[in-house]
mmCIF file of all heavy atoms in Angstrom:
data_model
loop_
_atom_site.group_PDB
_atom_site.id
_atom_site.type_symbol
_atom_site.label_atom_id
_atom_site.label_comp_id
_atom_site.label_asym_id
_atom_site.label_seq_id
_atom_site.Cartn_x
_atom_site.Cartn_y
_atom_site.Cartn_z
ATOM 1 N N ILE A 1249 -6.621 17.440 21.610
ATOM 2 C CA ILE A 1249 -6.893 18.591 20.734
ATOM 3 C C ILE A 1249 -5.705 19.333 20.308
ATOM 4 O O ILE A 1249 -5.542 19.708 19.109
ATOM 5 C CB ILE A 1249 -7.979 19.517 21.295
ATOM 6 C CG1 ILE A 1249 -9.330 18.777 21.619
ATOM 7 C CG2 ILE A 1249 -8.219 20.799 20.381
ATOM 8 C CD1 ILE A 1249 -10.324 19.585 22.442
ATOM 9 N N GLN A 1250 -4.892 19.623 21.282
ATOM 10 C CA GLN A 1250 -3.696 20.409 21.009
ATOM 11 C C GLN A 1250 -2.670 19.686 20.177
ATOM 12 O O GLN A 1250 -2.142 20.225 19.158
ATOM 13 C CB GLN A 1250 -2.969 20.638 22.309
ATOM 14 C CG GLN A 1250 -1.568 21.390 22.258
ATOM 15 C CD GLN A 1250 -0.730 21.453 23.560
ATOM 16 O OE1 GLN A 1250 -1.390 21.604 24.603
ATOM 17 N NE2 GLN A 1250 0.540 21.275 23.415
ATOM 18 N N LEU A 1251 -2.540 18.399 20.300
ATOM 19 C CA LEU A 1251 -1.679 17.514 19.491
ATOM 20 C C LEU A 1251 -2.188 17.488 18.022
ATOM 21 O O LEU A 1251 -1.306 17.499 17.142
ATOM 22 C CB LEU A 1251 -1.502 16.102 20.077
ATOM 23 C CG LEU A 1251 -0.721 15.957 21.316
ATOM 24 C CD1 LEU A 1251 -0.833 14.510 21.984
ATOM 25 C CD2 LEU A 1251 0.769 16.337 21.164
ATOM 26 N N GLN A 1252 -3.442 17.417 17.874
ATOM 27 C CA GLN A 1252 -3.883 17.231 16.523
ATOM 28 C C GLN A 1252 -3.822 18.707 15.725
ATOM 29 O O GLN A 1252 -3.406 18.727 14.624
ATOM 30 C CB GLN A 1252 -5.357 16.818 16.490
ATOM 31 C CG GLN A 1252 -5.981 16.562 15.066
ATOM 32 C CD GLN A 1252 -7.276 15.999 15.075
ATOM 33 O OE1 GLN A 1252 -8.264 16.817 15.409
ATOM 34 N NE2 GLN A 1252 -7.580 14.941 14.636
ATOM 35 N N ASN A 1253 -4.048 19.698 16.515
ATOM 36 C CA ASN A 1253 -3.908 21.092 15.915
ATOM 37 C C ASN A 1253 -2.417 21.290 15.578
ATOM 38 O O ASN A 1253 -2.218 21.902 14.494
ATOM 39 C CB ASN A 1253 -4.402 22.130 16.860
ATOM 40 C CG ASN A 1253 -5.926 22.142 17.114
ATOM 41 O OD1 ASN A 1253 -6.610 21.533 16.195
ATOM 42 N ND2 ASN A 1253 -6.376 22.660 18.073
ATOM 43 N N GLU A 1254 -1.532 20.992 16.391
ATOM 44 C CA GLU A 1254 -0.082 21.106 16.098
ATOM 45 C C GLU A 1254 0.326 20.245 14.942
ATOM 46 O O GLU A 1254 1.062 20.715 14.080
ATOM 47 C CB GLU A 1254 0.761 20.728 17.377
ATOM 48 C CG GLU A 1254 0.565 21.818 18.473
ATOM 49 C CD GLU A 1254 1.332 21.395 19.657
ATOM 50 O OE1 GLU A 1254 1.814 20.164 19.832
ATOM 51 O OE2 GLU A 1254 1.446 22.155 20.713
ATOM 52 N N ALA A 1255 -0.165 19.081 14.852
ATOM 53 C CA ALA A 1255 0.096 18.209 13.718
ATOM 54 C C ALA A 1255 -0.380 18.706 12.390
ATOM 55 O O ALA A 1255 0.299 18.649 11.419
ATOM 56 C CB ALA A 1255 -0.417 16.760 13.921
ATOM 57 N N VAL A 1256 -1.557 19.319 12.403
ATOM 58 C CA VAL A 1256 -2.088 19.943 11.228
ATOM 59 C C VAL A 1256 -1.212 21.023 10.788
ATOM 60 O O VAL A 1256 -0.846 21.275 9.552
ATOM 61 C CB VAL A 1256 -3.565 20.375 11.405
ATOM 62 C CG1 VAL A 1256 -4.097 21.248 10.301
ATOM 63 C CG2 VAL A 1256 -4.501 19.191 11.547
ATOM 64 N N ALA A 1257 -0.957 22.000 11.720
ATOM 65 C CA ALA A 1257 -0.034 23.126 11.409
ATOM 66 C C ALA A 1257 1.280 22.679 10.897
ATOM 67 O O ALA A 1257 1.854 23.282 9.922
ATOM 68 C CB ALA A 1257 0.130 24.055 12.763
ATOM 69 N N SER A 1258 1.838 21.681 11.498
ATOM 70 C CA SER A 1258 3.116 21.208 10.985
ATOM 71 C C SER A 1258 2.991 20.605 9.620
ATOM 72 O O SER A 1258 3.980 20.828 8.781
ATOM 73 C CB SER A 1258 3.662 20.086 12.036
ATOM 74 O OG SER A 1258 4.883 19.515 11.496
ATOM 75 N N LEU A 1259 1.947 19.913 9.379
ATOM 76 C CA LEU A 1259 1.720 19.404 7.994
ATOM 77 C C LEU A 1259 1.589 20.419 6.909
ATOM 78 O O LEU A 1259 2.204 20.347 5.789
ATOM 79 C CB LEU A 1259 0.439 18.442 7.973
ATOM 80 C CG LEU A 1259 0.202 17.834 6.638
ATOM 81 C CD1 LEU A 1259 1.222 16.765 6.309
ATOM 82 C CD2 LEU A 1259 -1.245 17.053 6.835
ATOM 83 N N ILE A 1260 0.921 21.439 7.309
ATOM 84 C CA ILE A 1260 0.673 22.625 6.366
ATOM 85 C C ILE A 1260 2.131 23.400 6.139
ATOM 86 O O ILE A 1260 2.433 23.603 4.950
ATOM 87 C CB ILE A 1260 -0.255 23.652 6.942
ATOM 88 C CG1 ILE A 1260 -1.606 23.082 6.992
ATOM 89 C CG2 ILE A 1260 -0.275 24.933 6.127
ATOM 90 C CD1 ILE A 1260 -2.685 24.022 7.635
ATOM 91 N N LYS A 1261 2.950 23.490 7.175
ATOM 92 C CA LYS A 1261 4.204 24.093 6.984
ATOM 93 C C LYS A 1261 5.047 23.249 6.111
ATOM 94 O O LYS A 1261 5.786 23.777 5.206
ATOM 95 C CB LYS A 1261 4.936 24.206 8.377
ATOM 96 C CG LYS A 1261 6.266 24.803 8.446
ATOM 97 C CD LYS A 1261 6.815 24.932 9.837
ATOM 98 C CE LYS A 1261 8.228 25.564 9.912
ATOM 99 N NZ LYS A 1261 9.207 24.601 9.283
ATOM 100 N N VAL A 1262 5.177 21.876 6.296
ATOM 101 C CA VAL A 1262 5.905 21.096 5.449
ATOM 102 C C VAL A 1262 5.428 21.035 4.054
ATOM 103 O O VAL A 1262 6.263 20.989 3.122
ATOM 104 C CB VAL A 1262 5.982 19.625 6.133
ATOM 105 C CG1 VAL A 1262 6.553 18.622 5.108
ATOM 106 C CG2 VAL A 1262 6.670 19.612 7.405
ATOM 107 N N TRP A 1263 4.210 21.091 3.822
ATOM 108 C CA TRP A 1263 3.707 21.074 2.528
ATOM 109 C C TRP A 1263 3.971 22.328 1.757
ATOM 110 O O TRP A 1263 4.383 22.173 0.562
ATOM 111 C CB TRP A 1263 1.989 20.982 2.589
ATOM 112 C CG TRP A 1263 1.343 20.805 1.347
ATOM 113 C CD1 TRP A 1263 0.948 21.687 0.415
ATOM 114 C CD2 TRP A 1263 1.024 19.565 0.711
ATOM 115 N NE1 TRP A 1263 0.260 21.124 -0.549
ATOM 116 C CE2 TRP A 1263 0.324 19.825 -0.431
ATOM 117 C CE3 TRP A 1263 1.286 18.230 1.112
ATOM 118 C CZ2 TRP A 1263 -0.151 18.767 -1.323
ATOM 119 C CZ3 TRP A 1263 0.771 17.229 0.302
ATOM 120 C CH2 TRP A 1263 0.141 17.447 -0.922
ATOM 121 N N ILE A 1264 3.902 23.496 2.412
ATOM 122 C CA ILE A 1264 4.274 24.724 1.719
ATOM 123 C C ILE A 1264 5.814 24.617 1.435
ATOM 124 O O ILE A 1264 6.217 25.122 0.352
ATOM 125 C CB ILE A 1264 4.022 25.853 2.609
ATOM 126 C CG1 ILE A 1264 2.503 26.074 2.748
ATOM 127 C CG2 ILE A 1264 4.616 27.188 2.111
ATOM 128 C CD1 ILE A 1264 2.034 27.078 3.803
ATOM 129 N N GLU A 1265 6.618 24.219 2.321
ATOM 130 C CA GLU A 1265 8.035 24.062 2.015
ATOM 131 C C GLU A 1265 8.329 23.193 0.781
ATOM 132 O O GLU A 1265 9.206 23.476 0.008
ATOM 133 C CB GLU A 1265 8.841 23.635 3.285
ATOM 134 C CG GLU A 1265 8.842 24.589 4.370
ATOM 135 C CD GLU A 1265 9.375 24.044 5.721
ATOM 136 O OE1 GLU A 1265 9.596 22.687 5.763
ATOM 137 O OE2 GLU A 1265 9.643 24.783 6.622
ATOM 138 N N LEU A 1266 7.556 22.066 0.722
ATOM 139 C CA LEU A 1266 7.585 21.116 -0.361
ATOM 140 C C LEU A 1266 7.337 21.785 -1.754
ATOM 141 O O LEU A 1266 7.964 21.778 -2.700
ATOM 142 C CB LEU A 1266 6.842 19.938 -0.259
ATOM 143 C CG LEU A 1266 6.675 18.910 -1.348
ATOM 144 C CD1 LEU A 1266 7.978 18.284 -1.706
ATOM 145 C CD2 LEU A 1266 5.647 17.872 -1.076
ATOM 146 N N LEU A 1267 6.222 22.538 -1.744
ATOM 147 C CA LEU A 1267 5.727 23.210 -2.895
ATOM 148 C C LEU A 1267 6.797 24.277 -3.337
ATOM 149 O O LEU A 1267 7.055 24.571 -4.550
ATOM 150 C CB LEU A 1267 4.351 23.963 -2.673
ATOM 151 C CG LEU A 1267 3.263 22.967 -2.497
ATOM 152 C CD1 LEU A 1267 1.988 23.818 -2.258
ATOM 153 C CD2 LEU A 1267 3.030 21.979 -3.656
ATOM 154 N N MET A 1268 7.372 24.976 -2.313
ATOM 155 C CA MET A 1268 8.400 26.006 -2.615
ATOM 156 C C MET A 1268 9.675 25.387 -3.282
ATOM 157 O O MET A 1268 10.242 25.891 -4.236
ATOM 158 C CB MET A 1268 8.731 26.835 -1.355
ATOM 159 C CG MET A 1268 7.632 27.717 -0.900
ATOM 160 S SD MET A 1268 8.001 28.530 0.618
ATOM 161 C CE MET A 1268 9.397 29.524 0.217
ATOM 162 N N ALA A 1269 10.033 24.260 -2.686
ATOM 163 C CA ALA A 1269 11.208 23.577 -3.264
ATOM 164 C C ALA A 1269 10.959 23.073 -4.688
ATOM 165 O O ALA A 1269 11.833 23.130 -5.536
ATOM 166 C CB ALA A 1269 11.509 22.318 -2.290
ATOM 167 N N ILE A 1270 9.804 22.520 -4.991
ATOM 168 C CA ILE A 1270 9.366 22.124 -6.302
ATOM 169 C C ILE A 1270 9.474 23.261 -7.271
ATOM 170 O O ILE A 1270 9.940 23.165 -8.354
ATOM 171 C CB ILE A 1270 8.034 21.399 -6.309
ATOM 172 C CG1 ILE A 1270 8.131 20.089 -5.586
ATOM 173 C CG2 ILE A 1270 7.536 21.190 -7.762
ATOM 174 C CD1 ILE A 1270 6.771 19.434 -5.430
ATOM 175 N N ALA A 1271 8.823 24.394 -6.830
ATOM 176 C CA ALA A 1271 8.837 25.543 -7.710
ATOM 177 C C ALA A 1271 10.276 26.137 -7.983
ATOM 178 O O ALA A 1271 10.587 26.401 -9.152
ATOM 179 C CB ALA A 1271 8.109 26.693 -6.992
ATOM 180 N N ALA A 1272 11.159 26.059 -6.985
ATOM 181 C CA ALA A 1272 12.497 26.533 -7.137
ATOM 182 C C ALA A 1272 13.225 25.663 -8.146
ATOM 183 O O ALA A 1272 14.038 26.089 -9.014
ATOM 184 C CB ALA A 1272 13.186 26.629 -5.801
ATOM 185 N N LYS A 1273 13.161 24.300 -7.996
ATOM 186 C CA LYS A 1273 13.780 23.395 -8.799
ATOM 187 C C LYS A 1273 13.325 23.511 -10.178
ATOM 188 O O LYS A 1273 14.021 23.348 -11.203
ATOM 189 C CB LYS A 1273 13.721 21.990 -8.227
ATOM 190 C CG LYS A 1273 14.522 21.845 -6.937
ATOM 191 C CD LYS A 1273 14.423 20.421 -6.399
ATOM 192 C CE LYS A 1273 15.132 20.313 -5.161
ATOM 193 N NZ LYS A 1273 16.636 20.452 -5.319
ATOM 194 N N SER A 1274 11.971 23.597 -10.327
ATOM 195 C CA SER A 1274 11.348 23.755 -11.646
ATOM 196 C C SER A 1274 11.895 25.043 -12.463
ATOM 197 O O SER A 1274 12.273 24.910 -13.663
ATOM 198 C CB SER A 1274 9.740 23.875 -11.588
ATOM 199 O OG SER A 1274 9.336 22.616 -10.964
#
Side-chain angles (χ1 to χ4, degrees):
I1249 296 172
Q1250 175 188 324
L1251 289 173
Q1252 189 178 66
N1253 289 340
E1254 289 176 351
V1256 169
S1258 177
L1259 183 61
I1260 291 173
K1261 178 176 179 292
V1262 170
W1263 189 270
I1264 292 173
E1265 290 173 350
L1266 173 63
L1267 295 182
M1268 290 175 64
I1270 292 173
K1273 291 181 182 294
S1274 297

